[in-house]
């Protein structure tokens, strides 16, 4: 069964491998397969599920809500997010204004078929809305019982610190951050992780397999396998493009003997690696078929010794991205100035 960890320093326990439906539900896989994946996750001991209103333009929330229907609500943890526009794209249909947050949570609850979410996350930082307004709206959402906890996603260390200060003044705390993090993408390690540790926040990391590159299925000098994310014209291809360089793919192949020595598959090694970071509360994994989950949950509880961690660093060498400046959110101010 999948192990549990606390979400930051909060009392909420979440499965360290969490099911995320960003690039699957409502877009890449049919609803029936998505439902099978959710039920498989539950059977394997995953009780934490992450989604967002913007995923598949609200369809992902709808599919997840239907798939969880009939499950004991207090036995699962449901995360969602607010920031990006959905459906309509009017002046107030994005960002972290009070209007958008309060309307956003109402829509998410309806689509998910629940009267509360365990975690509501600011999907990005909004530089066009006063942070005080955003934090006050989140405080009101918590007091209303519509979200039990509040988190952020892809905020810089400075933004996290300012947000936590205001949240504390308003009677709640930020408990988590959801950044990209993998063997190849380590930009949070220098500033975001130490700040989060200091403030009692945990990381719920997305793309621990670097969009699937760390699975090892993409080979240097060869076309990507048919049906893989790198061939998906509906968004997956664009997301993975930055990793599809021969020097990266060659370095990733050098991880294979390390995985073999550990008795792990390449995906299991990638997931286990992010879980070695004590500030990581959960690693998000998706699935286009149930069998992927059955394999990936085997990374739960795996411990990689210091020699193995060092061997991974040596194998990847200079292809690892570490620049903390790459942690950033889109500028709404800039967009508005261009209108």
């Amino acid at each position: 069964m999948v192990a549990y960890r606390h979400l930051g320093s909060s009392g909420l326990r979440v499965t360290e491998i969490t099911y995320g439906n960003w690039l699957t539900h409502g877009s890449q896989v049919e609803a029936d397969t998505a439902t099978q994946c959710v039920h498989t996750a539950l059977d394997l001991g995953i009780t934490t599920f992450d989604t967002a209103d913007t995923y598949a333009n609200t369809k992902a929330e709808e599919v997840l809500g239907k798939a969880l229907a009939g499950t004991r609500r207090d036995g699962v943890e449901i995360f969602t997010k607010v920031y990006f526009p959905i459906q309509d794209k009017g002046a107030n249909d994005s960002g972290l204004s009070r209007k958008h947050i309060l309307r956003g949570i109402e829509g998410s609850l309806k689509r998910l078929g629940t009267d509360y979410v365990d975690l509501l996350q600011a999907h990005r930082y909004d530089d066009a809305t006063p942070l005080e307004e955003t934090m006050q709206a989140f405080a009101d959402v918590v007091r209303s019982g519509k979200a039990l906890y509040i988190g952020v996603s892809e905020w810089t260390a400075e933004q996290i610190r300012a947000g936590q200060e205001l949240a504390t003044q308003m009677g709640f705390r930020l408990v988590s951050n959801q950044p990209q993090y993998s063997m190849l993408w380590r930009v949070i390690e220098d500033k975001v992780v130490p700040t989060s540790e200091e403030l009692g926040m945990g990381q719920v990391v997305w793309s621990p397999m670097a969009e699937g590159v760390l699975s090892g299925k993409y080979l240097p000098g060869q076309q990507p396998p048919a049906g893989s994310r790198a061939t998906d014209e509906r968004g997956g291809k664009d997301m993975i493009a930055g990793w599809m360089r021969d020097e990266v793919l060659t370095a990733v192949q050098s991880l294979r003997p390390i995985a073999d020595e550990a008795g792990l598959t390449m995906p299991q090694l990638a997931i286990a690696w992010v879980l070695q970071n004590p500030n990581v509360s959960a690693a998000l994994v998706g699935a286009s078929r149930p069998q992927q989950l059955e394999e990936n949950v085997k990374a739960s509880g795996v411990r990689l010794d210091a020699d193995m961690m060092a061997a991974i660093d040596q194998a990847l060498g200079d292809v690892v991205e570490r620049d903390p400046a790459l942690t950033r959110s889109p500028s709404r101010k800039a967009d508005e100035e261009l209108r």
Side-chain angles (χ1 to χ4, degrees):
M1 299 296 283
V2 181
Y4 279 85
R5 298 186 180 195
H6 283 277
L7 187 58
S9 62
S10 79
L12 183 67
R13 299 177 70 211
V14 299
T15 44
E16 65 178 9
I17 295 179
T18 290
Y19 186 93
N21 72 349
W22 170 31
L23 286 177
T24 51
H25 294 189
S27 57
Q28 289 187 353
V29 301
E30 299 298 326
D32 287 347
T33 302
T35 298
Q36 291 173 16
C37 288
V38 170
H39 292 172
T40 298
L42 291 167
D43 291 342
L44 293 169
I46 294 174
T47 63
T48 310
F49 297 85
D50 178 86
T51 188
D53 57 3
T54 192
Y55 294 168
N57 199 17
T58 73
K59 297 299 182 184
E61 285 186 327
E62 292 178 4
V63 172
L64 181 60
K66 291 176 181 177
L68 289 174
T71 303
R72 188 175 70 88
R73 179 62 185 88
D74 288 344
V76 295
E77 304 82 44
I78 300 175
F79 300 172
T80 194
K81 309 179 194 72
V82 61
Y83 175 90
F84 291 105
I86 56 173
Q87 298 172 336
D88 298 324
K89 296 184 179 180
N92 292 304
D93 290 324
S94 64
L96 297 176
S97 68
R98 179 177 182 82
K99 179 180 177 71
H100 190 59
I101 289 173
L102 297 186
R103 297 302 294 154
I105 185 62
E106 292 289 350
S108 289
L109 294 180
K110 182 177 180 180
R111 289 184 291 271
L112 289 164
T114 182
D115 57 2
Y116 74 95
V117 294
D118 296 88
L119 180 70
L120 177 63
Q121 301 162 95
H123 210 158
R124 293 294 185 269
Y125 185 85
D126 183 1
D127 63 357
T129 298
L131 188 57
E132 293 84 351
E133 177 180 338
T134 295
M135 291 297 112
Q136 184 62 65
F138 281 137
D140 291 343
V141 170
V142 171
R143 278 192 285 270
S144 72
K146 294 175 182 177
L148 305 185
Y149 297 90
I150 301 296
V152 301
S153 177
E154 295 291 359
W155 284 27
T156 66
E158 294 77 14
Q159 291 163 350
I160 287 171
R161 187 175 297 281
Q164 188 70 291
E165 181 179 355
L166 283 170
T168 303
Q169 293 172 12
M170 295 176 184
F172 73 103
R173 293 185 62 79
L174 301 175
V175 299
S176 63
N177 175 49
Q178 188 171 126
Q180 181 180 180
Y181 186 52
S182 70
M183 293 180 190
L184 292 172
W185 187 265
R186 308 189 194 182
V187 303
I188 63 171
E189 290 183 339
D190 185 54
K191 295 182 179 180
V192 169
V193 166
T195 299
S196 298
E197 288 176 333
E198 176 190 344
L199 299 177
M201 298 170 61
Q203 311 300 317
V204 179
V205 302
W206 60 273
S207 198
M209 287 187 282
E211 310 299 336
V213 168
L214 288 168
S215 70
K217 64 184 175 183
Y218 301 108
L219 302 176
Q222 298 186 23
Q223 291 296 312
S228 66
R229 182 171 296 177
T231 64
D232 177 31
E233 298 292 344
R234 293 171 293 181
K237 183 177 180 179
D238 293 338
M239 294 299 300
I240 201 174
W243 297 122
M244 298 297 289
R245 308 189 310 274
D246 278 355
E247 61 267 30
V248 173
L249 301 182
T250 299
V252 169
Q253 289 304 310
S254 66
L255 295 173
R256 196 171 294 280
I258 301 174
D260 291 342
E261 180 183 350
L264 301 171
T265 65
M266 293 277 279
Q268 289 164 1
L269 180 69
I271 297 167
W273 185 89
V274 300
L275 291 174
Q276 304 311 296
N277 189 319
N279 190 233
V280 170
S281 296
L284 295 176
V285 300
S288 57
R289 59 184 190 278
Q291 293 78 7
Q292 290 173 321
L293 285 171
E294 292 168 358
E295 287 302 310
N296 290 344
V297 297
K298 295 175 183 177
S300 180
V302 170
R303 294 294 173 260
L304 306 177
D305 63 30
D307 289 344
M308 191 161 291
M309 295 291 282
I312 290 169
D313 286 347
Q314 183 175 1
L316 294 177
D318 293 338
V319 302
V320 174
E321 182 57 72
R322 303 176 186 272
D323 184 1
L326 294 176
T327 299
R328 57 178 179 263
S329 296
S331 173
R332 287 189 67 229
K333 282 184 177 178
D335 289 343
E336 290 174 359
E337 289 170 357
L338 291 173
R339 289 177 184 171

